[in-house]
Amino acid sequence: MKRLLVLAALGVGLAGCASDEVKLKQDHSYIVEWIGERPLMDYAHLTVTLGADGRAYGNGGCNHWFAPYSLDGNKLSFGKIGSTRKLCAEALMEQEHRFFKALETVQRWDISPIEQTRFWPAEGKPLRLWLEEG
């Protein structure tokens, strides 16, 4: 009987953990670490902030960007991305262009085993992000 009670208590405890749904944080910045198969260039600071109002924005490494987004459970998509028009070094501009293209193909998100946020396109490797501290 005692064993049955311990198993039941353990089952209830685990069921409680399973129902804790992980959510993306809104109005808090994420820092991009990888775009698909490539890490970011040194000193590039790409960010994503998902506003509670359905607008996403951040830094593309050279320009500030903005776009509408839709979030429903683990489904995530971004609309057409707009940005400022500052000109930077060619390599930085190429990386920013890849970042914007990657964002426009995102279809879902998840959290990796190492607690990293990932934005997945229909095909290929994900954008990998960390929640900005502070």
Side-chain angles (χ1 to χ4, degrees):
M1 183 67 165
K2 209 178 212 184
R3 186 173 169 182
L4 184 60
L5 287 173
V6 169
L7 287 175
L10 183 60
V12 169
L14 290 176
C17 292
S19 66
D20 290 344
E21 184 181 347
V22 176
K23 294 183 178 183
L24 285 176
K25 284 197 171 211
Q26 293 180 314
D27 296 325
H28 198 93
S29 292
Y30 288 85
I31 298 176
V32 180
E33 181 182 54
W34 283 72
I35 303 169
E37 297 181 6
R38 292 166 52 185
L40 296 188
M41 295 176 359
D42 288 343
Y43 305 109
H45 185 75
L46 281 65
T47 62
V48 174
T49 300
L50 303 173
D53 61 358
R55 292 184 289 181
Y57 56 92
N59 188 314
C62 179
N63 290 284
H64 293 282
W65 67 273
F66 47 89
Y69 77 95
S70 174
L71 178 62
D72 183 19
N74 73 335
K75 293 181 180 3
L76 173 66
S77 62
F78 294 87
K80 183 75 173 144
I81 294 180
S83 71
T84 55
R85 298 272 194 189
K86 190 165 67 170
L87 204 53
C88 293
E90 187 176 335
L92 198 55
M93 296 300 295
E94 186 275 332
Q95 178 176 267
E96 184 174 82
H97 179 74
R98 281 188 307 109
F99 174 53
F100 293 164
K101 286 292 188 193
L103 276 178
E104 288 180 343
T105 64
V106 167
Q107 293 188 348
R108 66 182 178 87
W109 71 275
D110 71 4
I111 303 292
S112 76
I114 61 168
E115 304 290 319
Q116 189 172 44
T117 303
R118 299 181 296 192
F119 291 175
W120 289 90
E123 294 180 14
K125 302 224 178 220
L127 287 159
R128 296 180 355 202
L129 310 96
W130 292 105
L131 194 57
E132 188 170 48
E133 307 234 347

